[in-house]
Amino acid sequence: MVGLLGRTRAQSTRRPSTTHHHRGSHEGKHRQGPSNGLRSALGGRSVAGQVFVLQVVIVLLLVVAAVVALVLQVRHDSTQEARNRSLAVAQTFANAPGTRAALSAPHPTALLQPSAEAARKASKVDFIVVLNTDAIRYTHPKPDRIGKKFVGTVAPVLAGHSITEQINGTIGQLVQATVPIKAPDGTVVGMVSAGITTANVGGAADRQLPLLLSAAAVALALATASTALVSRRLLRQTHGLGPYEMTRMYEHHDAVLHSVREGVIIVGGEGQLLLANDEANRLLDLPVDAEGRPVQELGLDPGTADLLASGRVATDEVHLVGDQLLAINQRPTDLRGGPAGSVATLRDSTELRALSGRAEIARERLKLLYDAGVGIGTSLDVTRTAEELAEVAVPRFADFVTVDLADAVLNGQEPAAGAGLRRTASSGIRKDAPLYPVGEHIGFVPSTPQAHSLRTGEAVVEPDLGGAPGWLAQDLQRTAQVVDYGIHSLITVPLRVGPLVMGVVNFWRSEKPEPFDVEDLALAEELVARAAVSIDNARRYTREHTMAVTLQRSLLPRNLPEQSALDLAYRYLPAQAGVGGDWFDVLPLPGARVAVVVGDVVGHGLLAAATMGRLRTAVHNFSALDLPPDELLGLLDELVGRIDQDELPESSRAAVTGATCLYAVYDPTTRRCSVARAGHPPPAVIHPDGSVEFPEVPAGPPLGLGGLPFETAELDLAEGSRLVLYTDGLVEDRERDIDVGLELLRTALAGADRSPEDTCQAVLDALLPARPSDDIALIVARTHALDADRIASWEVPSEPSAVGEVRASVSRQLTQWGLDEMAFTTELILSELVTNAIRYGNGPIGVRVLLDRTLICEVFDASSTSPHLRYAATTDEGGRGLFLVAQLTDRWGTRYTPEGKIIWAEQPLP
């Protein structure tokens, strides 16, 4: 086992995954640079460093021994060579011709010194000295030594023998040879000594020693390089771990391998078992001699043996081994260049399976509650929220789910106690279940679980519907069909928010044979509790929305007034997200004219709707003054500014309200339309030929900003033209820019011979978004012109006699129109009005009579003074004219023009 573990561990060190938990502290060593690696290798602490130190010691010892041997050998050889050369030189000079004769000459030094020096230099010795028999020098390399006593042994030489010796002479340590100079009769007449100093003896050693040291340096370099290569290879194979770390890692791996609660098995490439830890031996009940044997021969079940022998990849593959369920994970070992084979881990999952089953159920229930929190309440619609509750619980919790709510809840109200319920939502795994259908009103009998939940506010579980007489008593025929269908268990949970019970939710089970239990009841209560909050929010929103819509509808015109100038069609679509402040109105004006107004209050909700109602009322009042459009918008601007101040929080200075408005007045007698707008989209005009134009109307600031005037544009409209007014919700939303919307509107409006109704429908079909985020108001008005034969006008001189002529002219005109019975009254009205104009006004004076839905009399003058109705005293001679006019007409009044004023009066036609 230990041997196999060692081999396996040595193999596994080549794989990063095996030593991952050791690499953290040695990563720097493994990744160090070449110089650091070399220093580490040569430091002596690693095996490679120790080998390197041993190699260096050996090389140094060899070098020292070689140097010593070389020096000794060279010294011996050099000394011997010096002896031989000295002897040979001495003998040669002693026997040279003239040497013996020079000794007997008067001046032997003069004769011998030159020849001795020449011979010395030629023979490469340090000295040649000629001596007499008294050992006195005749020659010497240093002339001051001539004539002095010779240093050396001369007795044997005088006896006729040659001698070689090492002495410390006058020129230092030296080797010298001394030979006799003999006369022909053999008598010694002199001596010659030649020698070499020891400084010149070792020259060969000095020449050979650098070569020897160079070889030693090369050997050391090779040792260093080989050590570095070995060190790098060891570092790469051991991932930078030293012997201590390797030993500790081996011990840790061995301890971990046999102490973990997972079995570990290593199988070789031939299918033989290489290693099995203690847990693997226990789980597989392996024999004692299992290691080294083929896996197929270990007595394992065929499935497990085949898996381990195949070496294929396996992840949590479950095998039954004995009475245990083993989860096996297996991976090959040769993925990164490792040895062939595989490693497998085994884990006992018998208890884990049971725990995981319960954990999976808990996880599914938590997931159901999470999905319910996300998926229920996506809209503020009571019915849709109930449907979301039914859909989220099927089929993960129940096979069928039904939601029953009180009618009051659907209408946004709080239900009364004991009120019946209506099936609001139903969902199931099939559509043919014999349960009450959606929309049916249900009255539960007191014995049913639903009635108990409504009465007590508590959830009820019926595990066996076939044996529940209280539930069966609800409807004997239907409940029997439900049981026969296979629905066998029920949970009823009240939809309750605080003390308010809005209905019940029923969970039915049919496919799963087990009945609902207490844990299911707790989950159902939690699920319904979350949904109840969303349904109550939707109920409250429905109530508020209904109130706001009711208010808004009450503030908008219910019917358009009768008039002859325009054929009108309109559409009003409130936003689905909330009530807005869009509005419109049609106001008949004196002189057969009609005012059309459309506006938009910023924001949504009750405040916007209330502000819209105030503005609409203000427009009604201002239009009664018959003001030009720009002046009317100026008054509205002041009103919105005051509304802002009324609604302004004490801590803020910003306006809380804003509005846009477009006001147009059409006169059928002149076919002229006066238009002014305050920050509102421009009107569109469809000409009789079907072309579309957006006329240039000065925009003006939105209402409430103040400080800037408004301008009126005059449009001449041919009879049959269509004037289109709208709010910005039609042409602009979050996904569409207003320029794009105007082009779409132009395309939708194009076309001739379409009625206002058809035009409205075409516009909505082309531009209406699927879910409008803002209110939409649209008005299409087709213009009519008052025929010239229905208009009569006269210029009146500013003198009292002209009154009679006016009365006569009017009488004749009424006869032409077939209104003779109105002549007397009309003559009286015009007589009073013209008389007042002549008496109190300024010329010129004009009279115009219009035949429309009413008979309209108008008197023009250049004065800006308006007459006032008053009661005349019995003694007053005047002051009764306007009183008579008011009594004889339906309406009368004054409107101002740039040239003066007009007094008008309307009479109903007979």
Side-chain angles (χ1 to χ4, degrees):
M1 171 69 76
V2 175
L4 289 174
L5 181 61
R7 291 196 299 273
T8 304
R9 197 59 60 230
Q11 295 171 355
S12 65
T13 55
R14 292 196 295 268
R15 300 181 60 186
S17 60
T18 306
T19 59
H20 179 73
H21 62 287
H22 291 282
R23 292 179 63 189
S25 61
H26 305 285
E27 191 71 22
K29 295 181 180 179
H30 181 57
R31 296 183 179 177
Q32 59 192 352
S35 61
N36 293 335
L38 183 59
R39 287 197 298 270
S40 176
L42 302 181
R45 290 175 294 179
S46 65
V47 174
Q50 295 171 1
V51 172
F52 173 73
V53 171
L54 180 61
Q55 289 177 336
V56 170
V57 171
I58 293 173
V59 170
L60 291 177
L61 289 176
L62 291 175
V63 169
V64 170
V67 169
V68 172
L70 176 63
V71 170
L72 294 176
Q73 182 64 37
V74 168
R75 286 186 177 276
H76 176 270
D77 293 343
S78 299
T79 303
Q80 188 63 38
E81 180 184 357
R83 288 174 177 270
N84 295 335
R85 190 191 308 174
S86 300
L87 181 60
V89 170
Q91 289 176 347
T92 301
F93 194 82
N95 296 321
T99 302
R100 186 176 63 245
L103 290 175
S104 58
H107 298 286
T109 299
L111 296 175
L112 294 175
Q113 178 70 11
S115 59
E117 285 300 306
R120 179 184 66 81
K121 295 178 179 178
S123 61
K124 296 183 179 180
V125 295
D126 290 325
F127 63 90
I128 297 177
V129 178
V130 181
L131 311 170
N132 60 16
T133 55
D134 294 327
I136 300 302
R137 302 185 186 100
Y138 286 144
T139 64
H140 196 278
K142 295 180 180 181
D144 61 336
R145 306 294 174 91
I146 298 174
K148 294 182 179 180
K149 187 72 174 182
F150 174 70
V151 179
T153 304
V154 297
V157 179
L158 293 176
H161 302 288
S162 298
I163 186 172
T164 302
E165 60 182 342
Q166 291 181 341
I167 65 170
N168 186 11
T170 58
I171 60 175
Q173 293 287 337
L174 54 86
V175 175
Q176 65 182 11
T178 306
V179 299
I181 303 173
K182 295 180 179 181
D185 58 358
T187 304
V188 176
V189 296
M191 295 174 286
V192 176
S193 178
I196 301 174
T197 62
T198 56
N200 294 328
V201 172
D206 293 339
R207 291 191 299 273
Q208 294 178 6
L209 188 58
L211 178 61
L212 180 62
L213 295 178
S214 298
V218 171
L220 286 175
L222 291 176
T224 302
S226 63
T227 302
L229 291 176
V230 172
S231 177
R232 288 175 63 87
R233 184 173 182 85
L234 289 175
L235 287 173
R236 186 165 57 251
Q237 291 181 344
T238 62
H239 302 287
L241 301 179
Y244 172 74
E245 289 85 357
M246 289 289 293
T247 302
R248 186 177 62 177
M249 183 187 71
Y250 173 82
E251 294 173 349
H252 287 180
H253 280 203
D254 187 61
V256 171
L257 182 67
H258 293 286
S259 62
V260 295
R261 294 190 60 186
E262 285 193 359
V264 179
I265 287 181
I266 300 178
V267 181
E270 301 298 328
Q272 73 279 13
L273 179 63
L274 298 181
L275 181 139
N277 68 347
D278 296 342
E279 185 69 9
N281 280 286
R282 185 187 69 82
L283 293 175
L284 297 178
D285 193 19
L286 296 175
V288 177
D289 59 345
E291 293 184 358
R293 295 172 54 185
V295 175
Q296 300 285 3
E297 300 177 3
L298 299 179
L300 303 175
D301 67 280
T304 305
D306 292 341
L307 172 62
L308 297 177
S310 67
R312 63 181 174 85
V313 175
T315 302
D316 288 336
E317 191 170 309
V318 179
H319 288 259
L320 179 62
V321 179
D323 58 350
Q324 302 175 104
L325 289 174
L326 300 184
I328 302 178
N329 291 273
Q330 183 167 269
R331 296 293 184 274
T333 58
D334 57 355
L335 295 179
R336 297 181 177 88
S342 61
V343 58
T345 60
L346 304 91
R347 184 176 67 256
D348 187 358
S349 62
T350 307
E351 296 181 0
L352 184 61
R353 285 278 167 173
L355 292 175
S356 63
R358 292 194 292 270
E360 181 64 20
I361 294 175
R363 188 192 67 80
E364 291 179 356
R365 291 185 172 183
L366 288 175
K367 182 66 166 55
L368 174 62
L369 293 176
Y370 171 79
D371 291 342
V374 174
I376 299 177
T378 59
S379 67
L380 291 174
D381 182 82
V382 175
T383 301
R384 180 55 194 155
T385 305
E387 292 173 349
E388 291 170 345
L389 168 60
E391 292 168 358
V392 78
V394 176
R396 290 188 288 177
F397 179 65
D399 298 320
F400 299 92
V401 176
T402 57
V403 182
D404 305 326
L405 298 176
D407 288 332
V409 174
L410 298 175
N411 296 327
Q413 306 300 320
E414 294 185 1
L421 304 181
R422 187 178 300 276
R423 180 134 299 173
T424 307
S426 178
S427 180
I429 58 176
R430 292 185 297 273
K431 301 295 184 182
D432 58 346
L435 300 171
Y436 286 116
V438 174
E440 183 164 344
H441 190 273
I442 306 173
F444 293 105
V445 299
S447 63
T448 59
Q450 290 86 349
H452 178 79
S453 294
L454 291 172
R455 184 171 57 254
T456 64
E458 299 176 353
V460 177
V461 57
E462 282 288 355
D464 183 14
L465 291 178
W471 175 78
L472 293 172
Q474 171 66 28
D475 185 340
L476 296 179
Q477 182 178 0
R478 185 177 292 275
T479 53
Q481 292 175 352
V482 171
V483 173
D484 294 341
Y485 186 79
I487 298 176
H488 59 82
S489 187
L490 165 69
I491 290 180
T492 295
V493 183
L495 266 166
R496 184 181 64 181
V497 177
L500 178 64
V501 178
M502 299 176 289
V504 293
V505 182
N506 305 298
F507 300 92
W508 314 82
R509 177 171 287 178
S510 63
E511 294 294 319
K512 191 175 180 180
E514 295 83 4
F516 286 119
D517 54 20
V518 177
E519 292 185 359
D520 294 326
L521 179 63
L523 176 60
E525 289 179 326
E526 179 67 22
L527 185 63
V528 174
R530 298 190 178 196
V533 176
S534 298
I535 291 178
D536 187 55
N537 289 338
R539 178 190 67 82
R540 293 172 182 271
Y541 173 79
T542 300
R543 180 185 62 190
E544 299 296 333
H545 184 73
T546 302
M547 292 173 56
V549 169
T550 302
L551 172 63
Q552 185 184 39
R553 292 292 186 185
S554 66
L555 296 176
L556 290 173
R558 299 183 180 180
N559 297 299
L560 297 182
E562 295 182 358
Q563 42 79 36
S564 302
L566 300 171
D567 286 339
L568 294 165
Y570 70 92
R571 296 289 189 275
Y572 185 84
L573 301 175
Q576 299 203 6
V579 176
D582 290 14
W583 56 284
F584 67 93
D585 216 335
V586 178
L587 307 171
L589 298 178
R593 296 170 303 135
V594 178
V596 182
V597 60
V598 63
D600 183 3
V601 176
V602 175
H604 294 83
L606 292 175
L607 178 60
T611 303
M612 176 267 289
R614 297 170 72 175
L615 292 181
R616 180 170 177 255
T617 301
V619 170
H620 272 267
N621 294 331
F622 294 151
S623 66
L625 300 177
D626 212 344
L627 300 173
D630 56 338
E631 295 184 17
L632 186 141
L633 291 181
L635 295 176
L636 283 180
D637 182 58
E638 294 180 7
L639 175 63
V640 173
R642 289 195 297 272
I643 293 175
D644 282 343
Q645 294 299 322
D646 293 341
E647 302 293 339
L648 192 65
E650 295 182 359
S651 60
S652 173
R653 294 184 178 181
V656 298
T657 305
T660 65
C661 184
L662 187 148
Y663 187 81
V665 177
Y666 175 68
D667 189 347
T669 63
T670 60
R671 294 180 289 102
R672 176 163 292 183
C673 183
S674 301
V675 183
R677 62 189 180 113
H680 202 81
V685 175
I686 310 172
H687 297 290
D689 60 358
S691 61
V692 180
E693 174 190 6
F694 291 96
E696 291 291 337
V697 178
L703 299 176
L705 295 183
L708 295 176
F710 300 95
E711 298 182 46
T712 298
E714 300 290 340
L715 308 178
D716 291 324
L717 303 179
E719 186 174 9
S721 299
R722 282 166 288 171
L723 181 66
V724 181
L725 308 182
Y726 53 91
T727 56
D728 59 356
L730 179 68
V731 295
E732 184 180 17
D733 59 23
R734 298 174 182 174
E735 300 178 357
R736 183 173 60 200
D737 189 71
I738 188 170
D739 294 333
V740 177
L742 290 176
E743 286 303 315
L744 292 176
L745 178 62
R746 182 192 300 273
T747 303
L749 292 176
D753 300 330
R754 281 198 299 195
S755 67
E757 284 288 342
D758 294 339
T759 304
C760 286
Q761 192 60 46
V763 169
L764 294 184
D765 292 342
L767 279 81
L768 183 65
R771 193 173 170 80
S773 59
D774 195 5
D775 294 355
I776 294 176
L778 172 65
I779 303 176
V780 178
R782 183 165 57 191
T783 62
H784 291 287
L786 192 62
D787 296 336
D789 59 357
R790 289 177 168 264
I791 303 174
S793 60
W794 303 274
E795 293 292 334
V796 179
S798 184
E799 53 185 41
S801 60
V803 176
E805 182 61 30
V806 170
R807 296 173 63 178
S809 299
V810 168
S811 179
R812 289 192 298 268
Q813 185 62 53
L814 293 178
T815 300
Q816 292 180 8
W817 288 340
L819 300 175
D820 292 329
E821 61 272 26
M822 299 182 64
F824 177 76
T825 304
T826 304
E827 289 178 6
L828 181 58
I829 292 171
L830 285 178
S831 176
E832 293 296 335
L833 295 180
V834 171
T835 300
N836 284 340
I838 294 173
R839 179 178 299 178
Y840 303 109
N842 299 323
I845 299 174
V847 174
R848 188 175 72 166
V849 180
L850 307 177
L851 179 58
D852 192 32
R853 292 179 177 271
T854 60
L855 184 63
I856 304 170
C857 299
E858 298 177 338
V859 176
F860 303 83
D861 66 66
S863 172
S864 60
T865 302
S866 176
H868 297 282
L869 179 65
R870 66 185 182 87
Y871 291 95
T874 55
T875 58
D876 290 341
E877 295 184 359
R880 297 179 177 84
L882 288 181
F883 179 79
L884 291 175
V885 171
Q887 296 299 315
L888 296 175
T889 61
D890 280 352
R891 297 191 308 160
W892 74 278
T894 304
R895 75 172 186 269
Y896 295 93
T897 66
E899 295 81 14
K901 67 176 184 297
I902 300 174
I903 308 298
W904 57 270
E906 292 185 5
Q907 303 176 71
L909 297 178

